[in-house]
Every structure is written in C-alpha cells, then in structure tokens.
C-alpha cells in the first residue's frame, strides 16, 4: 500500500512537471507570434509613410531650401534661367551685357551694288555709344510707307550663311546685305517705301532709315527680299 502511494506521488509529480513544461512552451510560442505581426505592421507602415512624407517634403522644400525666394525666382524667369542651369543663366546674362542695344546704334543704308539682276544694299549699324558692344546674326527689316504701314512681306533670311560675333568699338560699324531681284527683270509688283525699319539682332526696338533708293518688289514674281548676317565694316 505504501509502495502504491509512493508510485502515485511520483506519477503526479511527473504529470505536473509535464503540464508546466507544456504551459511554458505554449506561452513562449504565443509571445513570438504576437511580436512578429506587431513588429511588421508597426514598423513597415510608419516607415513607408515617413518615406513618402520625407520625399514630398524634400521636393517641396527644394525651391526654398536652395535659397530661392519669389523675388529670385522672378529674376531667374526674367533672364530666361527658370529651368536652366546656373552656367547657362550666367552665360545668357553675360551675352546680354555685351550686346549692342538699339539705343546705342545708328542705322544707315549704303549705296546699291547691283549684279546679275540683283539689287544689293548694305544695312549698316554703327556704335554711337561710349562702350564696346557686339552684334551677331541677322537684322530685322521692313519697308514702310509714310504712315508706318509695312509694305510687302517680311524679308527672308539667306540660307547657308554662318553668323559670327562682330565686336564694335565706339564709332565702328557692321553691315548686313539686303538683296532683291530687279523688278524690271522679275516683273514683280512694286511700290516706293518712305523708310526702312531696321531692328538690331536680339532687340525689339527699331531704327528708321529714310529710303531713297526707288521702288522695291512687294508681290508677284521673285518679290522676296533677303537678308544676310552681319559682318565687320560698312559693306563698301
């Protein structure tokens, strides 16, 4: 009887130990499963949200973060540098600083130099300012009547010519050719303008030159007037 009781006590103790061990394993297993979803959902979602916030904040902060202000942005747009690099903007500003402006120039039309059925006139720009400046490319030109109304279509730019920068010291000149077919040969319709408006390259304001060279073609056969790029000198 005593032996039986001792055996039962050992069995009960073993069973209690087994139950306790199983309870501990279950508790550890539940704890691991609970932490894993918590860690993923608690870390991944905020991290994604923070990254988006940082990206959008960084993007919106770039204009103010690099020192730009509404005033400086307006300045960049005014110089054409709004979407350009700093080097391009600086180069544009430098070019604008050396370019001859309309107010610094006088315009004249030289004598006709006819040849092969063509009438050829030099349009001359002279630097009247006290500084050295440059011209480059084609002039703008338009024949007008006494009321200032344009006669005929806009002149065309002569193809195949290469523009070079012409540096004009005070008093120096550059010239560009204005050419058209002799109307008596071409049969074009003509009119006699009162003046020729000349616009320096990259400028908006024009210079008026009295036209004393007779009729010019304005429509019909071979009525196109053509312009060449500026070269140094007066075209004589």
């Amino acid at each position: 009887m005593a032996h039986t009781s001792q055996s039962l006590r050992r069995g009960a103790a073993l069973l209690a130990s087994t139950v306790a061990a199983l309870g501990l394993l279950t508790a550890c297993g539940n704890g691991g499963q609970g932490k894993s979803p918590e860690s993923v959902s608690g870390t991944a979602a905020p991290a994604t949200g923070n990254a988006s916030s940082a990206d959008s904040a960084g993007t919106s902060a770039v204009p103010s973060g690099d020192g730009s202000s509404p005033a400086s942005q307006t300045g960049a747009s005014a110089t054409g540098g709004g979407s350009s690099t700093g080097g391009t903007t600086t180069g544009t500003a430098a070019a604008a600083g050396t370019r001859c402006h309309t107010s610094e120039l006088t315009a004249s039309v030289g004598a006709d130099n006819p040849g092969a059925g063509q009438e050829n006139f030099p349009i001359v720009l002279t630097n009247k300012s006290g500084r050295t400046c440059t011209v480059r490319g084609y002039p703008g030109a338009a024949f007008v009547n006494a009321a200032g109304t344009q006669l005929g279509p806009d002149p065309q730019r002569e193809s195949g010519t290469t523009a070079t920068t012409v540096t004009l010291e005070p008093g120096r000149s550059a010239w560009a050719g204005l050419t058209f077919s002799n109307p008596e040969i071409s049969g074009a319709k003509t009119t006699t303008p009162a003046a020729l408006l000349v616009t320096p390259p990259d400028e908006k304001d024009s210079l008026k030159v009295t036209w004393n060279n007779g009729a010019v073609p304005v429509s019909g056969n071979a009525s196109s007037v053509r312009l060449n790029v500026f070269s140094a000198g007066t075209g004589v």
Side-chain angles (χ1 to χ4, degrees), residues 68-90:
S68 298
S69 63
S72 63
Q73 289 170 1
T74 301
S77 298
T79 57
S83 60
S84 303
T85 63
T88 303
T89 303
T90 302

Side-chain angles (χ1 to χ4, degrees), residues 82-177:
S83 60
S84 303
T85 63
T88 303
T89 303
T90 302
T92 302
T98 60
R99 187 179 79 240
C100 295
H101 300 294
T102 302
S103 61
E104 299 174 305
L105 300 167
T106 60
S108 60
V109 176
D112 186 14
N113 183 24
Q118 295 291 112
E119 309 301 326
N120 306 297
F121 298 90
I123 297 175
V124 182
L125 294 180
T126 301
N127 181 7
K128 68 175 183 179
S129 74
R131 73 177 185 110
T132 297
C133 58
T134 61
V135 295
R136 180 186 177 88
Y138 298 88
F143 291 112
V144 296
N145 61 20
T149 302
Q150 181 171 334
L151 305 172
D154 292 335
Q156 299 178 6
R157 293 179 173 183
E158 193 69 60
S159 60
T161 55
T162 302
T164 58
T165 300
V166 182
T167 301
L168 299 181
E169 296 177 357
R172 296 290 185 175
S173 300
W175 72 281

Side-chain angles (χ1 to χ4, degrees), residues 157-202:
R157 293 179 173 183
E158 193 69 60
S159 60
T161 55
T162 302
T164 58
T165 300
V166 182
T167 301
L168 299 181
E169 296 177 357
R172 296 290 185 175
S173 300
W175 72 281
L178 181 149
T179 301
F180 55 83
S181 296
N182 186 313
E184 293 183 2
I185 298 174
S186 68
K189 295 180 180 179
T190 65
T191 190
T192 301
L196 176 69
L197 298 183
V198 178
T199 308
D202 300 314

